[in-house]
Every structure is written in C-alpha cells, then in structure tokens.
Amino acid sequence: MTFARGFAAEVRKGLLNLAAGWREVLIQMITFPLFYLLIVLFMGRGQLRAELLLPVLLGMVALTFIHEQVNRVFWGYLGDIQSGVLEQTYLTPLPSAALILGRQVAAAISALPTALAVLATGATAIAVQGGQLPVDVQVIVPLAAIVLGTCGLALILCGLTLVFKRIEIITQLSVAVYAIAGGTLVPLAAMPDPVAFISRLVVPIAPGIEAMRDILLGGHSLAALPSGWGLGWLLVQPLLLTAAGAVAFNRLEHLARHRGTLGRY
C-alpha cells in the first residue's frame, strides 16, 4: 500500500509540475516543431522536400521524446537535491523504487505534448505536400521500446546526479550525440559501420527509429525488419538498458547514502 501511494504521489507531483509550467510546455510545443521544419529545409536545400518529411519526422519525434523525458527526470532530481527535499524522502518508509518509477512515468507522460506537437506538424506538412502520414499498429512495439530504453538512460543519469551533482552538461551532450549519431536524421545504414554498431548497441532510440522507418516507409512487418539487428534486438535492447540503469542507479544511490551526500550540492 505504501508503494502504491508513493508511486501515485510521485506521478501526481510530476503532472502538477507539468500543469504549473504550461507556458514552458507551450514554448517547447512551438520551438521543437519549428526546429523539425528547419532541419528539413536545411537538408532539402531550402525546400520542404516530400521525400525528407517522413523519415526526418520519425527521428525527430523520438529525439524530442528522449530530450524531454530525460531532462524532466534529471532536473527533477537535481531540484530536489538542491532544495533538500530528496534527502527527506529517504527518512520516510517510502520505498525508493516507488519514487523512481513514479518519476519515470510522470516524465514520460510530460514528454508527450511536445512530441505530439512535432508529429502533428509533420503530418500537416506531409498533407500540404499532397501526401498522407502512414499508420500501422505495428509501430507500437518500437515506440514502446523507445520509451523503455529511454527510462534506462534516465536512471543512469539520475544515479550519477546523486553522486556527482553537477553533470548538467552530460545530459545535453548525450542528446546531441543521439541527434548526430543515433540515426535520428541520417539512417544508420548510411553511417560508418563502427558508428552504426555503437548506436544500435547503446542508443535507446536507434533500433526503434530504424524499425519505424522499415514499417512505415518500407512496408515491412516486425518479423522481417531488414535494417539493424531485427525484432529480437528491438525487444532485448531496451530491457538491457533498463536493467543496466536500475543496477547503476541502485549502486550510485547506495554510494550517495553511504557518503551522506543526498542533500549536498
């Protein structure tokens, strides 16, 4: 019962923070779609080329989600550390797992408005060009893989925050790396083999983006994905990342508690 109440309280707190920061969300719902259109214009040499709109859209939606989700969890932890709230939660019977899971769920929900704004902008641009945004229920699987894998990354970054505190630049650099080398804008098949290998191995959004492009652009089924490492890796990679994130967070949390630095910044 304590776990359920703690989990629900963390989700509610995250959603209340989302509602309180509606102006910031509104700005992001404008700037991220504009950024998407600017990228397509740049890649199309000043034109919104129809053949670029959908491939870039799929990558941009995933990149927007991971940016919002990871940053919301990270800054939430950092804010609680700075205010001394986080240390107080460890003096209560509330299991830390409820805190972690609740924050992850709230962050994932909070990332949806901006990601959906990018998706709506892309769909509109495709329609203006005389096309139609393809829909296939199979994309639920790679989307779920992206969400789960992103949670694993967020756990690692939050664990590092508990110990090292001032690692803001790492979160920004990680998202920049995903944008450049994660298959977001340029397919991994067009990148050097070592870069593609590392991206498919550790970047949470890479296998999901490849799968969505295969399904929506190539018309392939989940069981016959020609790009990347297939359906098996699409399912296994987010589980491995989440497991690694949980182990890393647990050990770093234990280290911070042992040092007594949960409330220091």
Side-chain angles (χ1 to χ4, degrees):
M1 197 64 169
T2 301
F3 183 95
R5 288 180 178 176
F7 169 77
E10 283 299 321
V11 173
R12 182 174 179 273
K13 184 179 77 171
L15 297 181
L16 287 174
N17 288 336
L18 175 67
W22 66 270
R23 293 180 181 84
E24 176 188 351
V25 175
L26 182 60
I27 292 173
Q28 291 172 333
M29 291 176 67
I30 296 172
T31 55
F32 275 87
L34 287 177
F35 183 55
Y36 157 70
L37 294 176
L38 287 173
I39 289 175
V40 177
L41 283 171
F42 177 78
M43 296 176 68
R45 299 182 178 181
Q47 297 180 353
L48 289 176
R49 296 170 57 182
E51 64 270 22
L52 292 174
L53 285 171
L54 182 56
V56 176
L57 175 63
L58 298 177
M60 191 62 193
V61 169
L63 181 65
T64 301
F65 179 84
I66 193 173
H67 176 275
E68 290 297 290
Q69 201 270 356
V70 168
N71 274 281
R72 286 186 178 279
V73 176
F74 169 78
W75 288 106
Y77 266 99
L78 193 60
D80 284 355
I81 291 172
Q82 293 172 336
S83 63
V85 173
L86 185 65
E87 188 175 31
Q88 295 177 19
T89 63
Y90 284 90
L91 302 176
T92 69
L94 175 66
S96 61
L99 176 73
I100 299 166
L101 185 58
R103 292 189 178 210
Q104 294 285 356
V105 171
I109 295 173
S110 300
L112 289 177
T114 309
L116 290 175
V118 174
L119 180 62
T121 301
T124 302
I126 292 171
V128 170
Q129 293 282 351
Q132 186 176 5
L133 183 67
V135 178
D136 193 321
V137 69
Q138 294 181 100
V139 298
I140 293 176
V141 175
L143 286 174
I146 289 173
V147 173
L148 187 60
T150 301
C151 288
L153 170 67
L155 283 171
I156 295 173
L157 292 174
C158 290
L160 291 172
T161 304
L162 295 179
V163 177
F164 301 106
K165 307 298 189 292
R166 299 178 183 273
I167 63 164
E168 296 92 334
I169 189 63
I170 294 179
T171 64
Q172 302 304 321
L173 283 176
S174 65
V175 175
V177 169
Y178 303 151
I180 297 170
T184 304
L185 306 178
V186 179
L188 293 179
M191 293 187 177
D193 290 341
V195 175
F197 177 85
I198 294 174
S199 294
R200 292 184 179 116
L201 186 66
V202 299
V203 176
I205 60 177
I209 292 174
E210 281 194 312
M212 287 193 293
R213 286 176 177 155
D214 284 341
I215 293 169
L216 297 179
L217 295 176
H220 299 283
S221 68
L222 276 171
L225 298 174
S227 302
W229 298 342
L231 176 61
W233 184 245
L234 175 66
L235 299 176
V236 170
Q237 192 237 33
L239 295 176
L240 292 177
L241 288 177
T242 302
V247 171
F249 183 89
N250 182 265
R251 294 190 175 184
L252 291 167
E253 178 192 47
H254 178 76
L255 179 61
R257 295 177 69 174
H258 179 72
R259 291 178 176 179
T261 58
L262 287 171
R264 297 181 189 173
Y265 182 75

